[in-house]
Every structure is written in structure tokens, then in C-alpha cells.
Amino acid sequence: MQKLLNLFLCGLLVIGTALSFAACRTDHKKTETTSTVSLPEGTHEKGESVEELGTVSILRQYIEKTGNDAAKPDEGKVYLLLEFRIDNTTDAEMPVSTLLSFTGQADGQPVSPSTKALLDRGSHSTLDGTIPVGGGMVGVVGFEVSQDWKVFQVDFRPDAMQSEAISFAVRKV
């Protein structure tokens, strides 16, 4: 009888230990959820290749930065760097300027490109220069936005003097 009681108590101890480990276990797997925040109508998503206005343009990625020794965003803000690949499909050279060719909107509020944000770009090139006929350029444009932004829209004007733009948008993950 004593053996049976000891076996029963050991079984309870094993089950209790297993249950307490299961209750304390933290699962560190990142689960992705589908965002219910919709992108503005007429915009293209990150990774989408867009052939418009004499270019093939792709918003390749966005990167949030908190600043460095050279520049820090204002309190409650972050630097948002958007990396593009732009190919020139026209028969003329195409000048591109981070300050003149791009405008942004964070959650519907206008935001201008930030030269301070570009100081935190690391090894990324800026989108400043001339793209030769048939050539391409990869680089970033930077903005200073609220750290709580949800949707960012960026408009690229291949001809900075015209109003026609290619619009891209990203959701904060």
C-alpha cells in the first residue's frame, strides 16, 4: 500500500511540475497579424514594381531610426528612411533630388523630407544625382515622423517641376 501511495504522490508531483512549467513558459515566437489599417487609394505597396512617368520605381524597404551622435529626432519622433530603386526608361537623363522630388504624408499629415534624417542613413546612398538613360539609382529619402505613425505615403515626382507623381505607401508593422 505504501508503494502505491508513493507512486501516486510521485505522479502528482510530475504532473504539477509540468503544469507549472507550462503556465510559466513564455513563447517568444513573433506572430504576424494582418493590419486593418488600409493604404490610401491609388498608392503602390512596398516591393511593388511600378512602371510610370518614364521610370520603373520600387519602394524596397523602410527603416525606422532613433538618431545618432550627428542628429537626433525631436522628442516623440523617429527618422523614417525609405529605400527606392529608380530606373530611367526615358530617352533623357533624369535628375533626382531627395528634397525636390519627394513629399510625404504621415497618417494624412504633410511631411517634408529631412536632411537630419539622412545623417542617420548609415551606408545607404541618398537619392540625389542624375540617372542616365537606361540607368538606375538606389538610395534613401528620409523623413522625421511621430513614433506612433501607422501609414506613411511618399510621392515621387520624376520631374520635380511637374505635379504628376508616383505614390507609394507603407504600414507600420
PDB file of all heavy atoms in Angstrom, residues 5 9 14 18 21 24 35 41-43 51 55 63 73 90 93 106-107 111 125 136 140 154 164 167-168 172:
ATOM      1  N   LEU A   5       0.932   4.448  -2.691  1.00  0.00           N
ATOM      2  CA  LEU A   5       0.798   5.834  -2.262  1.00  0.00           C
ATOM      3  C   LEU A   5       1.996   6.666  -2.754  1.00  0.00           C
ATOM      4  O   LEU A   5       1.821   7.776  -3.248  1.00  0.00           O
ATOM      5  CB  LEU A   5       0.683   5.903  -0.728  1.00  0.00           C
ATOM      6  CG  LEU A   5       0.493   7.295  -0.132  1.00  0.00           C
ATOM      7  CD1 LEU A   5      -0.772   7.961  -0.673  1.00  0.00           C
ATOM      8  CD2 LEU A   5       0.432   7.229   1.370  1.00  0.00           C
ATOM      9  N   LEU A   9       1.813   9.827  -5.317  1.00  0.00           N
ATOM     10  CA  LEU A   9       2.373  11.140  -4.971  1.00  0.00           C
ATOM     11  C   LEU A   9       3.428  11.581  -5.990  1.00  0.00           C
ATOM     12  O   LEU A   9       3.486  12.751  -6.372  1.00  0.00           O
ATOM     13  CB  LEU A   9       2.962  11.120  -3.565  1.00  0.00           C
ATOM     14  CG  LEU A   9       1.944  11.037  -2.418  1.00  0.00           C
ATOM     15  CD1 LEU A   9       2.652  10.924  -1.078  1.00  0.00           C
ATOM     16  CD2 LEU A   9       1.031  12.239  -2.426  1.00  0.00           C
ATOM     17  N   VAL A  14       4.964  15.046 -10.609  1.00  0.00           N
ATOM     18  CA  VAL A  14       5.374  15.201 -12.008  1.00  0.00           C
ATOM     19  C   VAL A  14       4.340  16.027 -12.769  1.00  0.00           C
ATOM     20  O   VAL A  14       4.676  16.960 -13.508  1.00  0.00           O
ATOM     21  CB  VAL A  14       5.593  13.816 -12.678  1.00  0.00           C
ATOM     22  CG1 VAL A  14       5.713  13.947 -14.184  1.00  0.00           C
ATOM     23  CG2 VAL A  14       6.808  13.134 -12.087  1.00  0.00           C
ATOM     24  N   ALA A  18       4.965  19.769 -14.333  1.00  0.00           N
ATOM     25  CA  ALA A  18       4.750  20.007 -15.768  1.00  0.00           C
ATOM     26  C   ALA A  18       3.755  21.140 -15.983  1.00  0.00           C
ATOM     27  O   ALA A  18       3.954  22.009 -16.847  1.00  0.00           O
ATOM     28  CB  ALA A  18       4.272  18.730 -16.448  1.00  0.00           C
ATOM     29  N   PHE A  21       5.413  24.529 -15.160  1.00  0.00           N
ATOM     30  CA  PHE A  21       6.321  24.953 -16.231  1.00  0.00           C
ATOM     31  C   PHE A  21       5.535  25.459 -17.432  1.00  0.00           C
ATOM     32  O   PHE A  21       5.891  26.455 -18.051  1.00  0.00           O
ATOM     33  CB  PHE A  21       7.234  23.809 -16.670  1.00  0.00           C
ATOM     34  CG  PHE A  21       8.444  23.641 -15.810  1.00  0.00           C
ATOM     35  CD1 PHE A  21       8.712  22.434 -15.187  1.00  0.00           C
ATOM     36  CD2 PHE A  21       9.325  24.695 -15.616  1.00  0.00           C
ATOM     37  CE1 PHE A  21       9.829  22.290 -14.396  1.00  0.00           C
ATOM     38  CE2 PHE A  21      10.442  24.554 -14.818  1.00  0.00           C
ATOM     39  CZ  PHE A  21      10.695  23.338 -14.203  1.00  0.00           C
ATOM     40  N   CYS A  24       4.248  28.961 -16.724  1.00  0.00           N
ATOM     41  CA  CYS A  24       5.269  29.995 -16.662  1.00  0.00           C
ATOM     42  C   CYS A  24       6.005  30.186 -17.982  1.00  0.00           C
ATOM     43  O   CYS A  24       6.731  31.158 -18.144  1.00  0.00           O
ATOM     44  CB  CYS A  24       6.297  29.649 -15.579  1.00  0.00           C
ATOM     45  SG  CYS A  24       5.603  29.703 -13.932  1.00  0.00           S
ATOM     46  N   SER A  35      -2.772  43.710 -40.576  1.00  0.00           N
ATOM     47  CA  SER A  35      -3.172  45.044 -40.153  1.00  0.00           C
ATOM     48  C   SER A  35      -4.519  45.401 -40.778  1.00  0.00           C
ATOM     49  O   SER A  35      -4.785  45.078 -41.924  1.00  0.00           O
ATOM     50  CB  SER A  35      -2.117  46.055 -40.586  1.00  0.00           C
ATOM     51  OG  SER A  35      -2.549  47.345 -40.265  1.00  0.00           O
ATOM     52  N   GLU A  41      -5.904  55.105 -51.279  1.00  0.00           N
ATOM     53  CA  GLU A  41      -6.272  54.684 -52.621  1.00  0.00           C
ATOM     54  C   GLU A  41      -5.293  55.263 -53.646  1.00  0.00           C
ATOM     55  O   GLU A  41      -4.852  56.410 -53.535  1.00  0.00           O
ATOM     56  CB  GLU A  41      -7.694  55.164 -52.944  1.00  0.00           C
ATOM     57  CG  GLU A  41      -8.243  54.566 -54.213  1.00  0.00           C
ATOM     58  CD  GLU A  41      -9.698  54.938 -54.436  1.00  0.00           C
ATOM     59  OE1 GLU A  41     -10.449  55.048 -53.443  1.00  0.00           O
ATOM     60  OE2 GLU A  41     -10.076  55.097 -55.609  1.00  0.00           O
ATOM     61  N   GLY A  42      -4.922  54.453 -54.621  1.00  0.00           N
ATOM     62  CA  GLY A  42      -4.038  54.901 -55.682  1.00  0.00           C
ATOM     63  C   GLY A  42      -2.562  54.800 -55.350  1.00  0.00           C
ATOM     64  O   GLY A  42      -1.714  55.216 -56.138  1.00  0.00           O
ATOM     65  N   THR A  43      -2.233  54.252 -54.182  1.00  0.00           N
ATOM     66  CA  THR A  43      -0.828  54.096 -53.816  1.00  0.00           C
ATOM     67  C   THR A  43      -0.367  52.678 -54.134  1.00  0.00           C
ATOM     68  O   THR A  43      -1.171  51.759 -54.251  1.00  0.00           O
ATOM     69  CB  THR A  43      -0.583  54.380 -52.317  1.00  0.00           C
ATOM     70  OG1 THR A  43      -1.358  53.468 -51.540  1.00  0.00           O
ATOM     71  CG2 THR A  43      -0.934  55.801 -51.967  1.00  0.00           C
ATOM     72  N   GLU A  51       5.777  50.869 -63.240  1.00  0.00           N
ATOM     73  CA  GLU A  51       6.303  51.469 -64.464  1.00  0.00           C
ATOM     74  C   GLU A  51       5.390  52.622 -64.856  1.00  0.00           C
ATOM     75  O   GLU A  51       4.322  52.426 -65.412  1.00  0.00           O
ATOM     76  CB  GLU A  51       6.363  50.425 -65.580  1.00  0.00           C
ATOM     77  CG  GLU A  51       7.140  50.899 -66.777  1.00  0.00           C
ATOM     78  CD  GLU A  51       7.434  49.783 -67.777  1.00  0.00           C
ATOM     79  OE1 GLU A  51       7.269  48.602 -67.438  1.00  0.00           O
ATOM     80  OE2 GLU A  51       7.837  50.137 -68.893  1.00  0.00           O
ATOM     81  N   THR A  55       9.734  55.922 -65.621  1.00  0.00           N
ATOM     82  CA  THR A  55      10.579  55.207 -64.666  1.00  0.00           C
ATOM     83  C   THR A  55      10.012  53.824 -64.385  1.00  0.00           C
ATOM     84  O   THR A  55       8.828  53.553 -64.627  1.00  0.00           O
ATOM     85  CB  THR A  55      10.674  55.932 -63.303  1.00  0.00           C
ATOM     86  OG1 THR A  55       9.418  55.817 -62.632  1.00  0.00           O
ATOM     87  CG2 THR A  55      11.064  57.381 -63.451  1.00  0.00           C
ATOM     88  N   ILE A  63      12.938  51.873 -43.041  1.00  0.00           N
ATOM     89  CA  ILE A  63      13.739  51.646 -41.850  1.00  0.00           C
ATOM     90  C   ILE A  63      13.448  52.775 -40.876  1.00  0.00           C
ATOM     91  O   ILE A  63      13.483  53.943 -41.247  1.00  0.00           O
ATOM     92  CB  ILE A  63      15.247  51.662 -42.189  1.00  0.00           C
ATOM     93  CG1 ILE A  63      15.564  50.683 -43.302  1.00  0.00           C
ATOM     94  CG2 ILE A  63      16.084  51.396 -40.947  1.00  0.00           C
ATOM     95  CD1 ILE A  63      16.862  50.982 -44.026  1.00  0.00           C
ATOM     96  N   PRO A  73      16.151  62.840 -33.674  1.00  0.00           N
ATOM     97  CA  PRO A  73      14.826  63.411 -33.951  1.00  0.00           C
ATOM     98  C   PRO A  73      14.268  64.090 -32.707  1.00  0.00           C
ATOM     99  O   PRO A  73      14.721  63.841 -31.586  1.00  0.00           O
ATOM    100  CB  PRO A  73      13.987  62.185 -34.339  1.00  0.00           C
ATOM    101  CG  PRO A  73      14.708  61.013 -33.792  1.00  0.00           C
ATOM    102  CD  PRO A  73      16.150  61.388 -33.673  1.00  0.00           C
ATOM    103  N   THR A  90      13.346  56.738 -69.888  1.00  0.00           N
ATOM    104  CA  THR A  90      13.164  57.796 -70.888  1.00  0.00           C
ATOM    105  C   THR A  90      14.383  57.860 -71.802  1.00  0.00           C
ATOM    106  O   THR A  90      15.364  57.130 -71.609  1.00  0.00           O
ATOM    107  CB  THR A  90      12.971  59.181 -70.230  1.00  0.00           C
ATOM    108  OG1 THR A  90      14.206  59.579 -69.624  1.00  0.00           O
ATOM    109  CG2 THR A  90      11.861  59.155 -69.190  1.00  0.00           C
ATOM    110  N   GLU A  93      18.489  62.091 -69.646  1.00  0.00           N
ATOM    111  CA  GLU A  93      18.935  61.954 -68.266  1.00  0.00           C
ATOM    112  C   GLU A  93      17.839  62.450 -67.320  1.00  0.00           C
ATOM    113  O   GLU A  93      17.062  63.337 -67.671  1.00  0.00           O
ATOM    114  CB  GLU A  93      20.213  62.759 -68.042  1.00  0.00           C
ATOM    115  CG  GLU A  93      21.415  62.208 -68.748  1.00  0.00           C
ATOM    116  CD  GLU A  93      22.663  63.011 -68.441  1.00  0.00           C
ATOM    117  OE1 GLU A  93      22.568  64.220 -68.144  1.00  0.00           O
ATOM    118  OE2 GLU A  93      23.750  62.411 -68.493  1.00  0.00           O
ATOM    119  N   ALA A 106       2.371  61.475 -43.236  1.00  0.00           N
ATOM    120  CA  ALA A 106       2.295  60.521 -42.136  1.00  0.00           C
ATOM    121  C   ALA A 106       0.885  60.580 -41.578  1.00  0.00           C
ATOM    122  O   ALA A 106       0.470  61.615 -41.048  1.00  0.00           O
ATOM    123  CB  ALA A 106       3.318  60.853 -41.064  1.00  0.00           C
ATOM    124  N   ASP A 107       0.141  59.503 -41.759  1.00  0.00           N
ATOM    125  CA  ASP A 107      -1.252  59.444 -41.310  1.00  0.00           C
ATOM    126  C   ASP A 107      -2.055  60.639 -41.816  1.00  0.00           C
ATOM    127  O   ASP A 107      -2.845  61.242 -41.101  1.00  0.00           O
ATOM    128  CB  ASP A 107      -1.324  59.334 -39.785  1.00  0.00           C
ATOM    129  CG  ASP A 107      -0.640  58.084 -39.267  1.00  0.00           C
ATOM    130  OD1 ASP A 107      -0.748  57.023 -39.919  1.00  0.00           O
ATOM    131  OD2 ASP A 107       0.026  58.150 -38.219  1.00  0.00           O
ATOM    132  N   VAL A 111       4.454  65.938 -44.606  1.00  0.00           N
ATOM    133  CA  VAL A 111       5.784  65.901 -44.006  1.00  0.00           C
ATOM    134  C   VAL A 111       6.795  66.138 -45.123  1.00  0.00           C
ATOM    135  O   VAL A 111       6.711  65.521 -46.176  1.00  0.00           O
ATOM    136  CB  VAL A 111       6.071  64.524 -43.364  1.00  0.00           C
ATOM    137  CG1 VAL A 111       7.425  64.517 -42.679  1.00  0.00           C
ATOM    138  CG2 VAL A 111       4.994  64.125 -42.388  1.00  0.00           C
ATOM    139  N   SER A 125      22.998  55.183 -49.730  1.00  0.00           N
ATOM    140  CA  SER A 125      23.175  56.405 -50.520  1.00  0.00           C
ATOM    141  C   SER A 125      21.896  57.225 -50.459  1.00  0.00           C
ATOM    142  O   SER A 125      20.817  56.697 -50.185  1.00  0.00           O
ATOM    143  CB  SER A 125      23.451  56.052 -51.981  1.00  0.00           C
ATOM    144  OG  SER A 125      24.644  55.335 -52.093  1.00  0.00           O
ATOM    145  N   GLY A 136      20.041  53.263 -63.504  1.00  0.00           N
ATOM    146  CA  GLY A 136      19.232  53.224 -62.292  1.00  0.00           C
ATOM    147  C   GLY A 136      19.963  53.810 -61.103  1.00  0.00           C
ATOM    148  O   GLY A 136      21.155  54.080 -61.157  1.00  0.00           O
ATOM    149  N   VAL A 140      18.092  56.289 -50.393  1.00  0.00           N
ATOM    150  CA  VAL A 140      17.033  56.555 -49.418  1.00  0.00           C
ATOM    151  C   VAL A 140      16.661  58.030 -49.404  1.00  0.00           C
ATOM    152  O   VAL A 140      17.459  58.896 -49.738  1.00  0.00           O
ATOM    153  CB  VAL A 140      17.440  56.123 -47.989  1.00  0.00           C
ATOM    154  CG1 VAL A 140      17.623  54.622 -47.895  1.00  0.00           C
ATOM    155  CG2 VAL A 140      18.672  56.855 -47.509  1.00  0.00           C
ATOM    156  N   VAL A 154       4.450  58.255 -49.577  1.00  0.00           N
ATOM    157  CA  VAL A 154       5.507  59.060 -50.173  1.00  0.00           C
ATOM    158  C   VAL A 154       5.218  59.194 -51.663  1.00  0.00           C
ATOM    159  O   VAL A 154       4.854  58.227 -52.320  1.00  0.00           O
ATOM    160  CB  VAL A 154       6.917  58.459 -49.920  1.00  0.00           C
ATOM    161  CG1 VAL A 154       7.053  57.063 -50.481  1.00  0.00           C
ATOM    162  CG2 VAL A 154       7.999  59.376 -50.446  1.00  0.00           C
ATOM    163  N   GLU A 164       2.658  65.577 -61.539  1.00  0.00           N
ATOM    164  CA  GLU A 164       2.434  64.138 -61.620  1.00  0.00           C
ATOM    165  C   GLU A 164       3.420  63.392 -60.731  1.00  0.00           C
ATOM    166  O   GLU A 164       4.615  63.675 -60.752  1.00  0.00           O
ATOM    167  CB  GLU A 164       2.582  63.643 -63.055  1.00  0.00           C
ATOM    168  CG  GLU A 164       1.483  64.105 -63.985  1.00  0.00           C
ATOM    169  CD  GLU A 164       1.688  63.531 -65.373  1.00  0.00           C
ATOM    170  OE1 GLU A 164       2.717  63.847 -65.987  1.00  0.00           O
ATOM    171  OE2 GLU A 164       0.809  62.763 -65.806  1.00  0.00           O
ATOM    172  N   SER A 167       2.862  57.338 -56.309  1.00  0.00           N
ATOM    173  CA  SER A 167       2.621  57.280 -54.866  1.00  0.00           C
ATOM    174  C   SER A 167       2.801  55.867 -54.320  1.00  0.00           C
ATOM    175  O   SER A 167       2.250  54.913 -54.861  1.00  0.00           O
ATOM    176  CB  SER A 167       1.200  57.749 -54.562  1.00  0.00           C
ATOM    177  OG  SER A 167       1.046  59.104 -54.918  1.00  0.00           O
ATOM    178  N   PHE A 168       3.561  55.796 -53.249  1.00  0.00           N
ATOM    179  CA  PHE A 168       3.774  54.547 -52.533  1.00  0.00           C
ATOM    180  C   PHE A 168       3.304  54.738 -51.090  1.00  0.00           C
ATOM    181  O   PHE A 168       3.269  55.865 -50.598  1.00  0.00           O
ATOM    182  CB  PHE A 168       5.258  54.178 -52.500  1.00  0.00           C
ATOM    183  CG  PHE A 168       5.829  53.832 -53.843  1.00  0.00           C
ATOM    184  CD1 PHE A 168       6.358  54.815 -54.672  1.00  0.00           C
ATOM    185  CD2 PHE A 168       5.851  52.518 -54.294  1.00  0.00           C
ATOM    186  CE1 PHE A 168       6.901  54.496 -55.900  1.00  0.00           C
ATOM    187  CE2 PHE A 168       6.386  52.190 -55.515  1.00  0.00           C
ATOM    188  CZ  PHE A 168       6.903  53.176 -56.328  1.00  0.00           C
ATOM    189  N   LYS A 172       3.049  50.621 -40.812  1.00  0.00           N
ATOM    190  CA  LYS A 172       3.989  50.279 -39.751  1.00  0.00           C
ATOM    191  C   LYS A 172       3.650  48.887 -39.260  1.00  0.00           C
ATOM    192  O   LYS A 172       2.488  48.574 -38.999  1.00  0.00           O
ATOM    193  CB  LYS A 172       3.893  51.288 -38.611  1.00  0.00           C
ATOM    194  CG  LYS A 172       4.938  51.083 -37.556  1.00  0.00           C
ATOM    195  CD  LYS A 172       4.905  52.218 -36.566  1.00  0.00           C
ATOM    196  CE  LYS A 172       6.027  52.092 -35.576  1.00  0.00           C
ATOM    197  NZ  LYS A 172       6.114  53.279 -34.732  1.00  0.00           N
TER     198      LYS A 172
END
